[in-house]
């Protein structure tokens, strides 16, 4: 039997552990997807945003690229917002995009697409192979590009390429490509001198510090310096244990409050975080005069657009470990003065539930290894204040800010890490951007607890309109039942509207999170804060 391009591509996918395909199928991919080999797993989602969101959660949990397949123009177009989130979250994806038959593309047939620019600059690499025989090499290259660029790499494959005969010979991409994480000690000298000479340093951490080695190095360094550690405001992941006594909280989003939070520090060292992502725009500098800013990152893009006095482009864990060896211990320095949020009082009889009550109830019950996936813009400050990340990957969100990430990402995380409890905390408005993902959770037996904060409106938008002194033109959507939608998609759901019902539901469900194989939507009626 003639060996085909499809056969050769499957060998490449096996070599790079890309044996789970997240997809919503289209006709231009039928030749690739029909009669998959037994060792290739197909995972269906009902919308391309959910496809990419699930793959993003999967790749985040496993720390390696995930494989996505999307249909030509419509499928890639539907996926663009989620691909943008994957890029800003620094998550590697290999994305196969279907295209019409190569033999009549010149005639612009039905379902042909202008695909190479459709996702804009969000892919880290895009390629349409010049010949069918170049497809396996392009897929191998995409795997390396996705890892190196930490984002989605796209390969556009005309439908007839899959059945073309493959070529014997080497694939034009390395079978193994190692990236050295070692840091030349000389590179750290200038940074160490700057830190050691600081009278009052502060740290700001971000998503690229979210791994066990970086947490360990940062804890040791912060404890030697007796300095506060802040989380940057829009990070997709936690860069430091948020139950540590030196964790100072999340930086405010506005420049004025940022300057106030960092006032009194002559050095701000950002680790795994850009300098600084603020919103909305406000006049004035990021930090006060007399405060130096240094940056440690392994992301060239962050290094190039951050206004830092000194930047080190290297592995954050390795740099911080060296710094902890080189900076002097400060045993006589007073510990940083950080405030701790206290749990809100339980609502009395007849008082409405608010998001803070839900966060406090979760914080009192979920185990430390829980992954909390957040997509509730109006309640995110309550979550940050009351529900700390205590383990690496304890918090996950969309750094891009676009909605539709939370539900599918939580499913992907749980599929990739079935030993970790996963709780998604999403707003009802946010849930509607990715509600189709609940079908996948139910169909594949993914035991995520989805806590949907239901206020029947876009509360964050209402708040922003009020801040401008105006009245919003958009209505509420109180008649939408997220629980009803979940059940229509085969996902169990229940609704609670008081504190007693909330506590009873959590006491029943939370102890089962580690081993449960059935998802649950807990729709919690809340009033905006």
């Amino acid at each position: 039997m003639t060996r085909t391009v499809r056969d050769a591509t499957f060998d490449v996918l096996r070599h790079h552990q890309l044996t789970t395909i997240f997809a919503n199928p289209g006709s231009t991919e039928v030749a690739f997807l029909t009669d998959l080999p037994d060792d290739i797993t197909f995972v269906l989602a009902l919308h391309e945003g959910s496809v990419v969101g699930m793959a993003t959660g999967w790749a985040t949990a496993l720390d390696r690229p995930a494989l996505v397949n999307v249909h030509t123009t419509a499928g890639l177009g539907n996926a663009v917002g989620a691909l943008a989130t994957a890029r800003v979250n620094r998550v590697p994806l290999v994305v196969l995009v279907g295209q019409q038959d190569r033999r009549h593309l010149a005639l612009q047939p039905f379902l042909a697409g202008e695909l190479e620019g459709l996702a804009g600059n969000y892919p880290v690499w895009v390629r349409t192979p010049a010949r069918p025989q170049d497809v396996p090499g392009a897929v191998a290259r995409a795997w390396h590009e996705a890892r190196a660029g930490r984002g989605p790499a796209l390969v556009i494959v005309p439908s007839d390429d899959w059945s073309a005969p493959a070529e014997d010979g080497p694939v034009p991409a390395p079978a193994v490509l190692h990236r050295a994480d070692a840091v030349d000690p000389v590179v750290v000298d200038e940074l160490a001198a700057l830190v050691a000479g600081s009278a009052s340093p502060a740290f700001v951490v971000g998503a690229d510090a979210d791994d066990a080695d970086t947490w360990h190095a940062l804890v040791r360094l912060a404890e030697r310096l007796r300095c506060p550690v802040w989380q940057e405001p829009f990070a997709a992941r936690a860069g430091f244990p948020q139950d540590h006594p030196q964790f100072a909280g999340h930086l405010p989003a506005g420049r004025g409050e940022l300057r106030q939070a960092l006032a009194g520090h002559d050095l701000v060292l950002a680790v795994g975080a850009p300098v600084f992502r603020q919103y909305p725009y406000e006049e004035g500098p990021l930090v006060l005069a007399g405060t130096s800013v240094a940056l440690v990152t392994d992301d060239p893009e962050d290094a190039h657009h951050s206004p830092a006095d000194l930047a080190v482009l290297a592995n954050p864990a390795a740099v911080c470990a060296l710094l902890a060896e080189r900076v002097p211990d400060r045993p006589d320095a007073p510990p940083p003065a950080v405030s701790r949020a206290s749990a809100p009082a339980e609502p009395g009889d007849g008082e409405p539930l608010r998001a803070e009550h839900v966060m406090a109830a979760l914080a009192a019950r979920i185990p430390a290894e829980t992954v909390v996936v957040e997509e509730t813009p109006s309640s995110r400050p309550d979550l940050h204040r009351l529900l700390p990340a205590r383990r690496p990957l304890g918090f996950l969100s969309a750094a891009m800010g676009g909605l539709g990430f939370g539900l599918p990402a939580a499913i992907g995380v749980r599929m990739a890490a079935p030993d970790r409890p996963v709780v998604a905390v999403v707003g009802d408005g946010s849930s509607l951007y990715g509600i189709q993902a609940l079908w996948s959770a139910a169909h594949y037996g993914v035991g995520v607890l989805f806590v949907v904060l239901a206020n029947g409106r876009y509360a964050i938008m209402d708040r922003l309109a009020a801040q401008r002194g105006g009245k919003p033109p958009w209505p509420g959507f109180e008649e939408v039942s997220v629980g009803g939608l979940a059940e229509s998609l085969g996902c169990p759901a229940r609704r609670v509207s008081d504190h007693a019902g909330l506590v009873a539901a959590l006491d029943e469900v939370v102890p089962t999170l580690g081993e449960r194989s059935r998802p649950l939507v807990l729709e919690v009626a809340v009033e905006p804060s």
Side-chain angles (χ1 to χ4, degrees):
M1 181 179 292
T2 301
R3 179 173 163 80
T4 66
V5 165
R6 182 176 185 258
D7 297 327
T9 302
F10 282 134
D11 286 342
V12 169
L13 297 177
R14 292 181 182 105
H15 177 77
H16 292 297
Q17 296 181 283
L18 294 172
T19 55
T20 298
I21 304 172
F22 294 90
N24 181 268
S27 57
T28 53
E29 300 83 63
V30 169
F32 171 61
L33 295 173
T34 301
D35 293 328
L36 288 173
D38 291 342
D39 61 335
I40 304 294
T41 300
F42 182 93
V43 177
L44 174 65
L46 304 186
H47 184 275
E48 288 82 3
S50 296
V51 168
V52 175
M54 288 166 61
T56 301
W58 170 282
T60 300
L62 293 180
D63 195 26
R64 68 169 192 254
L67 178 62
V68 172
N69 178 245
V70 297
H71 185 42
T72 184
T73 310
L76 181 57
N78 285 341
V80 168
L83 292 172
T85 293
R87 174 67 183 275
V88 179
N89 273 34
R90 311 291 196 251
V91 177
L93 302 176
V94 175
V95 183
L96 301 181
V97 184
Q99 176 62 292
Q100 251 289 4
D101 192 300
R102 188 185 290 268
R103 293 168 294 186
H104 68 165
L105 274 177
L107 303 178
Q108 295 188 348
F110 180 69
L111 286 178
E114 299 291 338
L115 301 175
E116 292 214 5
L118 184 56
N121 293 324
Y122 288 110
V124 298
W125 187 76
V126 181
R127 184 62 49 89
T128 301
R131 308 175 303 150
Q133 290 74 22
D134 297 332
V135 170
V139 173
R141 170 84 179 268
W143 187 85
H144 291 298
E145 295 283 359
R147 288 185 71 223
R150 301 171 67 203
L154 275 57
V155 181
I156 300 164
V157 186
S159 59
D160 59 314
D161 283 11
W162 297 113
S163 58
E167 283 185 343
D168 293 329
V171 171
V176 178
L177 177 62
H178 289 301
R179 294 180 64 188
D181 285 336
V183 179
D184 185 344
V186 176
V187 174
V188 188
D189 284 346
E190 187 176 353
L191 180 60
L194 185 66
V195 174
S198 168
S200 179
F203 292 171
V204 175
V205 297
D208 290 343
D210 185 25
D211 62 80
D213 290 340
T214 309
W215 277 33
H216 177 77
L218 274 169
V219 166
R220 183 165 177 248
L221 179 59
E223 289 178 350
R224 288 180 68 83
L225 294 171
R226 309 296 194 271
C227 67
V229 181
W230 293 88
Q231 177 79 31
E232 71 111 335
F234 296 110
R237 298 168 65 175
F240 192 81
Q242 295 175 353
D243 57 345
H244 190 281
Q246 288 174 232
F247 181 68
H250 290 73
L251 284 175
R255 290 193 184 194
E257 291 181 319
L258 174 71
R259 291 192 295 271
Q260 183 178 356
L262 298 176
H265 298 287
D266 58 350
L267 173 66
V268 176
L269 174 61
V271 178
V275 180
F276 293 110
R277 294 202 309 153
Q278 305 303 116
Y279 177 83
Y281 174 75
E282 293 179 2
E283 294 283 351
L286 293 167
V287 295
L288 296 173
T291 300
S292 298
V293 177
L295 171 65
V296 175
T297 180
D298 59 358
D299 191 289
E301 188 174 333
D302 279 351
H304 291 311
H305 71 236
S306 290
D309 299 286
L310 172 65
V312 175
L313 186 59
N315 178 272
V319 172
C320 291
L322 278 176
L323 282 177
E325 294 174 0
R326 293 177 174 219
V327 301
D329 194 3
R330 301 182 180 185
D332 298 327
V338 298
S339 60
R340 286 282 174 261
S342 56
E346 295 180 1
D349 291 340
E351 294 182 3
L353 269 175
R354 300 193 185 277
E356 61 178 357
H357 300 129
V358 181
M359 307 306 178
L362 283 168
R365 289 164 176 80
I366 60 173
E369 65 270 18
T370 302
V371 183
V372 175
V373 182
E374 176 272 333
E375 192 170 65
T376 174
S378 62
S379 306
R380 193 178 194 189
D382 291 322
L383 187 149
H384 282 333
R385 182 169 54 91
L386 297 167
L387 197 56
R390 294 168 284 172
R391 298 286 188 276
L393 194 58
F395 171 79
L396 178 61
S397 186
M400 183 66 186
L403 301 180
F405 174 79
L407 298 185
I411 297 166
V413 169
R414 177 69 176 186
M415 292 178 77
D419 58 326
R420 292 195 68 168
V422 178
V423 176
V425 183
V426 301
D428 53 354
S430 300
S431 75
L432 299 177
Y433 285 78
I435 198 73
Q436 304 95 334
L438 294 177
W439 179 90
S440 299
H443 182 81
Y444 294 104
V446 184
V448 175
L449 173 61
F450 302 97
V451 179
V452 177
L453 304 177
N455 55 40
R457 68 198 76 177
Y458 292 126
I460 186 67
M461 299 302 300
D462 293 347
R463 189 178 304 163
L464 292 173
Q467 289 173 2
R468 295 187 64 86
K471 181 180 179 181
W474 48 86
F477 45 89
E478 295 88 347
E479 63 271 32
V480 173
S481 167
V482 174
L485 290 170
E487 290 178 341
S488 75
L489 292 163
C491 181
R494 68 176 72 168
R495 182 178 173 90
V496 299
S497 57
D498 57 33
H499 193 261
L502 171 68
V503 168
L506 293 179
D507 285 343
E508 175 189 340
V509 176
V510 167
T512 72
L513 288 178
E515 64 274 357
R516 69 182 294 122
S517 58
R518 293 187 72 208
L520 176 66
V521 168
L522 188 63
E523 186 179 15
V524 185
V526 295
E527 287 292 323
S529 299

